[in-house]
Amino acid sequence: MALRHAVLAALLDDEYSGYQLAKAFDISVANFWHALPQQLYAELARLEADGLVVGREVVQETRPNKRLFRVTEAGRAELERFAEAASKPSSIRDDLLVKVQTADRVGTGPVIEQLEQRAAAAGAKLELLGKLLDNMRGDTDEAEYLLRGERVGRYLTCLRGLAFEREHRDWCLRTAAVLRERQQTDAER
Amino acid sequence: MALRHAVLAALLDDEYSGYQLAKAFDISVANFWHALPQQLYAELARLEADGLVVGREVVQETRPNKRLFRVTEAGRAELERFAEAASKPSSIRDDLLVKVQTADRVGTGPVIEQLEQRAAAAGAKLELLGKLLDNMRGDTDEAEYLLRGERVGRYLTCLRGLAFEREHRDWCLRTAAVLRERQQTDAER
DNA sequence: GCATCATACTCAAGAAAGTGACTAGTCACA
DNA sequence: TGTGACTAGTCACTTTCTTGAGTATGATGC
């Protein structure tokens, strides 16, 4: 039930509409919890029914009206409870790893391609996260920001994302190289 | 639907019973796709119904009989198709990250504790994976194994797991340290 | 002037994953 | 003699995630 808490966490920073939340999720929260807009709308409705967030209608002239949500005291207390409860162990859970597992025996070619696409995607995300971090930090240096900056939680999770993407990119490239080399070696025999 | 293919991938190496598969999953495949025994039994039943694996009954004297499964030609073809299909982008998906996101505002204490527990768990897994890799490699060096070793797929996914756990451990320790320092600083004011 | 994009949502259905409880025999140990 | 751990699995249920479609309006581009 962490989507629920991820939404609460995101709303702790700011009031958001479902639509805005979907965008915000895409850039920062998506690092560690991805969700489609439909899920977010559904979750917001449930959170409101449970009294953990409240929505207020904002009438707009030139665009459709929207509902902005903010966390209630009960919502904050729920986050508190959540923080105290045990976390489940994390693991990678990646299609591509399943494919690599058998890549030396079935369908090596397409896997190499996918590894290289992934590496490129990870590289792009890496850059994006780098900029996001620069932005949050402003012109204070990192040590100072970590010690006294605001919203350090978000900064720390982005650091995790950054490390993950870097690691992911490097592994994809290395793995692609290994599989390519092996194809070469096989062909020579 | 990658659990399905993770199971097929695991059965490609060896015949397994559901029970054995659950154990095997726990040590190697779990790096990138975790599942409970019940899920594996259910998946095996579905795979058999679809003709992608076949089971054979093995009568045992001193323990309950078991059914060993192996991949059929259709199963192999299914893996082939799977390898060619696009993979969905991977992300971290971790409870603890959600907690860290708000850790500077709600319940810092328990989050620090959990980070340190996680770091320890990651350290343990790191060691385990290190041993597994040593074991697979035997006494050939890594470059040589990667070029010519058997089951290099499994080796490569374990390398990914290793990097993930190391990164995870380091980040947990650093994050715990940062949050602790901030508590200190806050207390001084 | 028409197409497409952006805002702002909703509904329904289905697939995948996760949880809890339960059966049943064997073996070791104290 | 019973307590717990290990082998080997089954059944039922719930939650979560994904997919696909649909509604409505205004703004932007060619």
Side-chain angles (χ1 to χ4, degrees), chain A residues 2 31-33 82 87-91 160, chain B residues 91-100 118 164 168 171-172:
Chain A
N31 272 316
F32 55 92
W33 209 279
F82 176 66
S87 310
K88 27 186 107 155
S90 76
S91 69
R160 179 75 187 92
Chain B
S91 69
I92 303 184
R93 191 152 288 232
D94 185 346
D95 269 21
L96 192 46
L97 283 254
V98 177
K99 294 177 188 176
V100 168
R118 269 293 182 80
F164 178 81
H168 191 39
W171 177 84
C172 284

Side-chain angles (χ1 to χ4, degrees), chain A residues 44-103:
Chain A
L44 281 170
R46 248 166 301 175
L47 284 167
E48 194 178 23
D50 295 346
L52 305 185
V53 306
V54 276
R56 63 186 181 91
E57 186 89 15
V58 173
V59 179
Q60 299 187 115
E61 297 284 286
T62 77
R63 359 191 124 266
N65 298 343
K66 61 181 172 183
R67 303 198 65 218
L68 292 180
F69 294 91
R70 62 177 182 76
V71 178
T72 62
E73 260 320 299
R76 202 172 280 270
E78 174 60 28
L79 271 178
E80 202 89 44
R81 262 195 303 283
F82 176 66
E84 279 160 35
S87 310
K88 27 186 107 155
S90 76
S91 69
I92 303 184
R93 187 150 291 232
D94 185 345
D95 270 19
L96 191 45
L97 282 255
V98 177
K99 293 177 189 179
V100 168
Q101 180 92 353
T102 62

Side-chain angles (χ1 to χ4, degrees), chain B:
Chain B
M1 260 217 301
L3 172 58
R4 164 158 256 226
H5 299 100
V7 168
L8 281 175
L11 289 176
L12 213 53
D13 287 336
D14 253 311
E15 265 190 337
Y16 283 113
S17 70
Y19 191 78
Q20 292 171 316
L21 190 61
K23 306 237 144 177
F25 243 69
D26 236 31
I27 51 160
S28 87
V29 186
N31 272 317
F32 54 91
W33 209 278
H34 167 263
L36 295 171
Q38 294 98 302
Q39 283 174 273
L40 298 177
Y41 283 113
E43 202 55 60
L44 282 171
R46 248 165 302 178
L47 284 167
E48 195 178 21
D50 295 347
L52 306 185
V53 304
V54 274
R56 62 185 182 92
E57 185 91 12
V58 173
V59 178
Q60 300 187 115
E61 297 283 285
T62 78
R63 3 192 120 265
N65 298 344
K66 60 182 174 183
R67 304 198 66 217
L68 292 181
F69 294 92
R70 62 176 182 76
V71 178
T72 63
E73 260 319 299
R76 203 173 278 270
E78 173 61 28
L79 272 177
E80 202 87 47
R81 260 196 304 284
F82 176 65
E84 278 160 35
S87 311
K88 28 186 106 157
S90 76
S91 69
I92 303 184
R93 191 152 288 232
D94 185 346
D95 269 21
L96 192 46
L97 283 254
V98 177
K99 294 177 188 176
V100 168
Q101 180 94 351
T102 62
D104 45 334
R105 277 162 296 173
V106 296
T108 310
V111 174
I112 293 173
E113 257 179 70
Q114 289 178 45
L115 283 165
E116 282 164 353
Q117 282 164 22
R118 269 293 182 80
K125 205 157 179 195
L126 204 49
E127 243 185 275
L128 206 117
L129 282 168
K131 280 181 197 161
L132 216 107
L133 286 165
D134 282 349
N135 236 302
M136 281 190 246
R137 212 172 43 228
D139 42 11
T140 47
D141 69 54
E142 185 160 270
E144 175 61 20
Y145 183 83
L146 287 174
L147 193 54
R148 267 179 280 269
E150 277 182 6
R151 294 193 192 172
V152 78
R154 206 179 51 170
Y155 193 89
L156 287 165
T157 57
C158 281
L159 278 180
R160 178 76 188 93
L162 195 82
F164 178 81
E165 296 298 339
R166 186 164 34 224
E167 206 50 81
H168 191 39
R169 185 199 53 189
D170 293 352
W171 177 84
C172 284
L173 289 176
R174 187 185 182 196
T175 298
V178 165
L179 293 177
R180 257 192 214 293
E181 256 190 279
R182 287 174 71 99
Q183 277 192 322
Q184 207 75 32
T185 318
D186 286 358
E188 278 162 19
R189 268 187 286 172

Side-chain angles (χ1 to χ4, degrees), chain A residues 176-189:
Chain A
V178 165
L179 293 177
R180 257 191 215 292
E181 255 189 280
R182 287 174 71 100
Q183 278 192 322
Q184 207 73 35
T185 318
D186 286 359
E188 277 162 23
R189 270 186 284 171

